[in-house]
Amino acid sequence: MNSMALRMAAAVLLTVCGFCLGDARRQKLTARRRTLEAVTELLTRLRQEIAYRRTDLGQLYHTLATEYDSGSPLGNTFRLGNCFQQMVPPESLKTEEAACFTVCFADLGHADAKQECARLDYYLQRFDGFLTCAKEEEQLSTHLDRRLGLAAGAMLGLLML
């Protein structure tokens, strides 16, 4: 093979790698959005269980742990702990979101039902805000990341030629 063919192959490879990096970032943002949706659904369910059924949190934790499979955004989170207070935030969350998740679940079960519902309402609003931002980032990423990755890879590929 001559050197021009190797350079051409390297240019194509860099272009494809740039596209893949852009797509990987988009997939990461999609995973974050799905996780935030799952957390919001979980908080909504917890609020309903506490407000209307007055369900025991220990029993509810084990019930929910069986409902979430390992492929779901919160599946591994439930399997790592034994109760809500020991839940570890999913890896796809940003630092601020993970800190909010930790505080929310660490304090769960230390107040009466009315106070717990008020706390859960507060955290539902916080996670709704996080979810709105995540949706906006994902939407922007859908339009730009692949293209920017492809363009950056193509530029590097041109430099190889």
Side-chain angles (χ1 to χ4, degrees), residues 46-130:
L46 282 172
R47 191 194 183 296
Q48 291 170 347
E49 293 285 345
I50 291 170
Y52 303 117
R53 291 188 180 171
R54 313 266 185 200
T55 306
D56 174 55
L57 290 179
Q59 184 181 17
L60 180 59
Y61 181 86
H62 294 295
T63 302
L64 291 173
T66 59
E67 290 179 15
Y68 285 95
D69 64 345
S70 60
S72 69
L74 294 178
N76 289 334
T77 301
F78 273 102
R79 285 174 188 34
L80 292 175
N82 294 328
C83 62
F84 288 111
Q85 293 80 10
Q86 295 177 354
M87 288 179 73
V88 177
E91 293 177 9
S92 60
L93 296 180
K94 287 185 173 181
T95 306
E96 181 184 3
E97 297 161 351
C100 187
F101 181 94
T102 301
V103 171
C104 173
F105 287 102
D107 292 340
L108 195 62
H110 297 296
D112 66 357
K114 187 176 180 180
Q115 290 173 331
E116 288 291 352
C117 288
R119 279 188 67 255
L120 289 172
D121 286 338
Y122 167 75
Y123 285 109
L124 271 167
Q125 288 177 349
R126 293 276 318 266
F127 278 101
D128 279 338
F130 293 146

Side-chain angles (χ1 to χ4, degrees), residues 23-39:
D23 190 55
R25 183 174 185 279
R26 186 191 57 79
Q27 289 176 5
K28 184 177 177 182
L29 290 173
T30 299
R32 180 173 153 240
R33 178 194 43 87
R34 287 184 181 150
T35 301
L36 288 169
E37 287 173 346
V39 170

